[in-house]
Amino acid sequence: MSTTFSGINQTSGDKRWSKDGAVVAPASTRASAAARPALESPRPSAGAASGWRYSTQLNEQLSAAQCALGYVDGMLRQLESFKGNLSRQLSQRRLDSDGLKQQRGELEAGWQRRQADSAGSLDSQLRLSLGAPARQSFTARGLDLDSLTGGQPETLVFALDGQTAPAAVRVGDGISRDAALRRLNQALGPLGVRCELDDHGRLGFSCSEQDWARLRDSLTVRGGGMRFPGGMPQPLPAQAEPAALDAGQWQLDDHAQVRQTLQGVVRSIAQLQQTRAAIGSAIAEARQSIGQLARTDEQSWASGFVSDFNARLNQTADFNHLQQLVPALLGISRYRVISLLSLR
């Protein structure tokens, strides 16, 4: 079950966990928490055995969410301390710039540990992703829907370091936006790139965070001289989505800079709090699902899933509903499919 939770401004993240007592891994053991069951549950009776089998995956997701929660809590503590120090410095005639820069450095170091400390469940925008690797969103200059749907027809050829066969996409000549998006996904999917629309209908791309450096440096495109040059493939002009927290950009040399930095810290705190709330919702849902699986036989679970899926699928056909369904489908392993088919 792969789940992505969105937060403010598409920041799904670690919305803080349940106030009713979610277990948070201590900082010293946070990195290894994902390897342990998040809950200590009694062994099920024979009648609940099948439900217990599939609660393992939920337990793993819950452990990852708790790691994310621990990471967010730690960053919030650091930011609150930094915020207090900035406020005190603003009231003084002289600034302790060295002390503030040391705190800023500690925040930068904490951000660099995001992937490890959150068990890979938080991306650079503090979106929470459970059951699938966190993704890096990016844009590519020259690849926008207006350009791809209008104008003269052109074939774009994408390649990745010769590791996979080049993928060709025919664009322009008045094709629909849906057709352009579908063709791009078919071509770029094998390269590890997913094409998506944001809330404003703008085209964006994403890949696994661990693949970003390779894609950024190795993904090429060759056109026909209209949108992209022909001849030799050119590096795709890809630019990563700005990170949710970039402490290195905070300047601290005078009162005006400190005041501006304080505003940035307040925004970062608000975003982390949103992420914390999302994580809390995810933990609560995971606990509920684990409890249901422990009491439900597999055939009943499958019937309920199919009914819920059909209800969602038959709603008004728009991309938002598809976005809700795709993560759930991606998380269903072939082993579970085989098990469900064997019930027929």
Side-chain angles (χ1 to χ4, degrees):
M1 210 179 290
S2 170
T3 310
T4 301
F5 295 85
S6 298
I8 290 180
N9 298 326
Q10 294 294 314
T11 305
S12 50
D14 33 344
K15 303 322 192 208
R16 283 321 175 181
W17 307 119
S18 55
K19 296 181 179 179
D20 57 353
V23 178
V24 180
S28 60
T29 59
R30 200 178 300 150
S32 63
R36 303 191 306 269
L39 295 175
E40 292 296 333
S41 303
R43 291 214 168 265
S45 62
S50 61
W52 174 257
R53 285 201 305 272
Y54 297 114
S55 70
T56 302
Q57 187 179 32
L58 285 167
N59 268 287
E60 291 172 353
Q61 292 182 12
L62 183 55
S63 289
Q66 289 174 334
C67 285
L69 177 60
Y71 173 76
V72 169
D73 281 342
M75 290 300 293
L76 277 170
R77 285 192 294 270
Q78 283 187 274
L79 282 167
E80 290 287 359
S81 174
F82 191 41
K83 172 187 167 185
N85 200 3
L86 290 169
S87 297
R88 286 191 296 272
Q89 295 285 328
L90 284 173
S91 66
Q92 298 174 5
R93 193 165 182 178
R94 297 183 61 183
L95 294 175
D96 178 14
S97 293
D98 290 340
L100 290 175
K101 289 177 181 178
Q102 180 179 351
Q103 275 191 289
R104 182 186 63 187
E106 292 170 355
L107 282 165
E108 288 185 89
W111 182 253
Q112 293 303 316
R113 295 193 301 270
R114 169 182 52 83
Q115 285 182 294
D117 287 1
S118 70
S121 59
L122 287 177
D123 71 7
S124 63
Q125 284 296 305
L126 293 174
R127 289 177 289 242
L128 177 67
S129 182
L130 301 177
R135 301 185 67 81
Q136 172 65 60
S137 296
F138 62 95
T139 57
R141 191 170 64 254
L143 290 180
D144 60 84
L145 286 179
D146 289 339
S147 171
L148 296 173
T149 56
Q152 294 297 314
E154 183 179 21
T155 298
L156 306 180
V157 180
F158 298 92
L160 182 61
D161 255 356
Q163 299 177 12
T164 57
V169 183
R170 185 74 169 173
V171 298
D173 203 23
I175 64 172
S176 69
R177 294 162 64 92
D178 288 345
L181 187 64
R182 182 171 60 253
R183 291 179 189 182
L184 280 173
N185 269 312
Q186 289 172 345
L188 295 175
L191 306 182
V193 177
R194 182 188 303 162
C195 308
E196 303 158 318
L197 298 180
D198 65 15
D199 286 347
H200 304 286
R202 295 172 299 203
L203 180 62
F205 305 87
S206 70
C207 64
S208 170
E209 273 198 337
Q210 62 186 10
D211 293 338
W212 164 241
R214 178 173 62 93
L215 283 168
R216 179 193 58 205
D217 298 334
S218 305
L219 187 58
T220 63
V221 61
R222 173 168 52 84
M226 285 168 279
R227 296 165 185 82
F228 292 95
M232 290 294 294
Q234 304 293 317
L236 184 70
Q239 183 173 4
E241 183 180 19
L245 194 157
D246 190 359
Q249 298 298 313
W250 292 339
Q251 301 301 308
L252 301 163
D253 294 321
D254 56 45
H255 280 77
Q257 290 180 349
V258 169
R259 189 173 294 105
Q260 188 172 8
T261 292
L262 178 59
Q263 294 172 355
V265 170
V266 170
R267 287 193 296 269
S268 295
I269 289 173
Q271 192 163 7
L272 280 164
Q273 289 173 335
Q274 268 192 320
T275 295
R276 191 180 195 280
I279 297 174
S281 297
I283 286 181
E285 290 177 10
R287 289 181 181 276
Q288 182 180 21
S289 296
I290 290 171
Q292 290 175 343
L293 281 173
R295 298 187 298 270
T296 305
D297 64 88
E298 189 165 307
Q299 189 163 4
S300 298
W301 177 91
S303 297
F305 176 85
V306 169
S307 297
D308 180 63
F309 180 83
N310 284 335
R312 289 172 181 252
L313 192 63
N314 290 327
Q315 292 178 12
T316 304
D318 61 28
F319 191 73
N320 288 333
H321 288 128
L322 184 60
Q323 281 185 309
Q324 295 174 14
L325 294 173
V326 169
L329 292 177
L330 291 176
I332 300 177
S333 70
R334 72 182 185 90
Y335 303 106
R336 185 157 199 178
V337 172
I338 292 172
S339 298
L340 296 177
L341 290 176
S342 69
L343 297 174
R344 297 179 62 85

